[in-house]
Amino acid sequence: MIQNTENKIGRIYLFDNIKFLAILLVVIGHAINFLTETDGNMLEKSLFLTIYSIHMPLFIFISGLFLKPMDKSTKFPKQKVISFILIGIVLRIIMSVLRLVLGKNMNYSLLDMYDSFTWFMWAMAVFITLMWIFREYNTKIILLFSLLIGCMAGYDKFLGDKLALMRIVVFLPFFVAGYMIKPESLAAFLSKKWVKVVSIFVAVGFLALFFINTDIYQYLRPIFTGRNSFEVLGRFSKFGFAVRLLCYAISTLFGLSVMSLVPNINIGIISKTGSKTLQIYFWHQVFLVLLSHFGVYGLISSVTGDTIATGVYILIAVAVTFVCSLSVFSFPTKQLLSFGKNK
């Protein structure tokens, strides 16, 4: 979740636009997650699978892509690590206080990353730390081992929300993959004509899979979230390794296809918003909690019906994304990111 997309040859707007798409999918995904837990119609479930198959893998991949390469001489990036930890702590406090103000139970746990959003801040701190620890090792070997561990982790029922260990292990390969690729090389690959043509067919194929074969929802939903053990697969739990590997493949192919279809041009407010992903991630859940508390979806649904209400709710999530990109919402992430920097 890097705020700038700069390199020696100038700005590559492709990555600003990809980051905008990634954060937009995160906001819509969290909104859809609420809907699937209430009425859960098949449109919402299909949208959930579509979004959750790529939104965090894409977000984490881009975060790794813009982590500066580290070698033996690189000092531990403590300022960056501490900043992400502090952002997560402050966000959790804000959400706990908000729940209290709204008359809900005030949940707070330092170790249990039970929610669907603050875990990412802790995960980023861990990802950066791990890449520093193994900075002298071949990144291809690190990627291979992270994939193997990610596929096996689901058999350990004790991993889970504690310190977000399951999600950290599951999503680590995407961070490593991003870290080992140069942004310029990725942009060049994604711009190839044949890649874009193939990407159209791949993207359409996965969309068809998610919207036509609705039976896969019950199996892939808990795996795409990255927080569950293979016990959720029921009688198929012994095949968890293969299911996780399948999900990795889907996220990779679908994610690359989507990135290839994103234009590499300055799209004004979209490109600008793509450079403000951290503050959007920090504040969007506040708006979604308020929308849920005041029953906005129910009010819309009572007038339009569920299907149209889902579309309207998604548009509201889009609006939340742009609202959270306003300068006023740069607090406190901007200040926390600067924490500990030499004056």
Side-chain angles (χ1 to χ4, degrees), residues 54-314:
I54 60 170
H55 81 313
M56 288 315 298
L58 184 59
F59 211 51
I60 291 170
F61 173 81
I62 292 296
S63 298
L65 188 69
F66 288 99
L67 178 65
K68 292 182 179 180
M70 294 181 280
D71 55 30
K72 185 177 181 179
S73 63
T74 304
K75 293 182 179 180
F76 178 62
K78 62 180 180 180
Q79 185 273 327
K80 187 180 294 290
V81 170
I82 293 174
S83 292
F84 277 113
I85 293 175
L86 289 177
I87 290 172
I89 292 174
V90 172
L91 176 56
R92 176 157 287 188
I93 291 174
I94 289 176
M95 296 306 300
S96 296
V97 172
L98 177 61
R99 289 181 58 86
L100 181 64
V101 171
L102 295 177
K104 303 178 182 294
N105 292 330
M106 186 174 176
N107 295 329
Y108 187 85
S109 173
L110 185 62
L111 300 180
D112 191 0
M113 305 289 179
Y114 50 82
D115 54 55
S116 61
F117 48 95
T118 59
W119 71 270
F120 177 77
M121 304 303 174
W122 167 245
M124 279 295 296
V126 174
F127 291 154
I128 294 170
T129 300
L130 288 174
M131 295 316 300
W132 181 80
I133 292 174
F134 296 106
R135 64 192 183 283
E136 296 183 59
Y137 291 81
N138 189 315
T139 51
K140 293 180 181 178
I141 301 299
I142 298 174
L143 177 61
L144 176 61
F145 272 96
S146 66
L147 282 170
L148 290 174
I149 295 173
C151 288
M152 293 300 296
Y155 291 111
D156 188 343
K157 62 182 180 180
F158 296 104
L159 289 177
D161 291 335
K162 294 296 183 184
L163 294 175
L165 290 177
M166 182 68 81
R167 281 181 283 203
I168 287 173
V169 171
V170 167
F171 290 117
L172 176 60
F174 296 105
F175 190 86
V176 177
Y179 176 76
M180 62 189 293
I181 298 175
K182 293 182 179 180
E184 297 88 346
S185 299
L186 178 62
F189 173 76
L190 295 176
S191 67
K192 295 181 182 296
K193 183 176 294 185
W194 71 267
V195 174
K196 292 185 177 296
V197 172
V198 172
S199 295
I200 293 175
F201 287 99
V202 172
V204 171
F206 281 123
L207 288 173
L209 173 67
F210 295 142
F211 279 87
I212 296 176
N213 188 0
T214 56
D215 292 335
I216 65 174
Y217 175 82
Q218 61 179 316
Y219 300 110
L220 296 188
R221 173 188 170 124
I223 303 302
F224 276 137
T225 61
R227 67 187 297 187
N228 298 292
S229 72
F230 293 146
E231 288 185 339
V232 297
L233 296 174
R235 68 181 188 276
F236 297 111
S237 60
K238 61 182 178 180
F239 302 111
F241 185 99
V243 176
R244 174 72 69 200
L245 197 59
L246 173 64
C247 288
Y248 277 150
I250 292 174
S251 297
T252 300
L253 293 174
F254 194 19
L256 283 172
S257 299
V258 170
M259 285 193 293
S260 177
L261 298 176
V262 172
N264 185 14
I265 58 174
N266 186 351
I267 317 180
I269 189 173
I270 288 179
S271 300
K272 184 177 181 180
T273 302
S275 66
K276 300 179 178 181
T277 53
L278 186 56
Q279 67 181 68
I280 297 171
Y281 193 98
F282 187 94
W283 286 109
H284 81 280
Q285 196 70 20
V286 172
F287 286 90
L288 295 184
V289 167
L290 291 174
L291 289 171
S292 172
H293 177 75
F294 292 107
V296 172
Y297 176 79
L299 293 174
I300 299 172
S301 179
S302 65
V303 176
T304 65
D306 290 344
T307 301
I308 295 178
T310 299
V312 173
Y313 206 73
I314 289 175

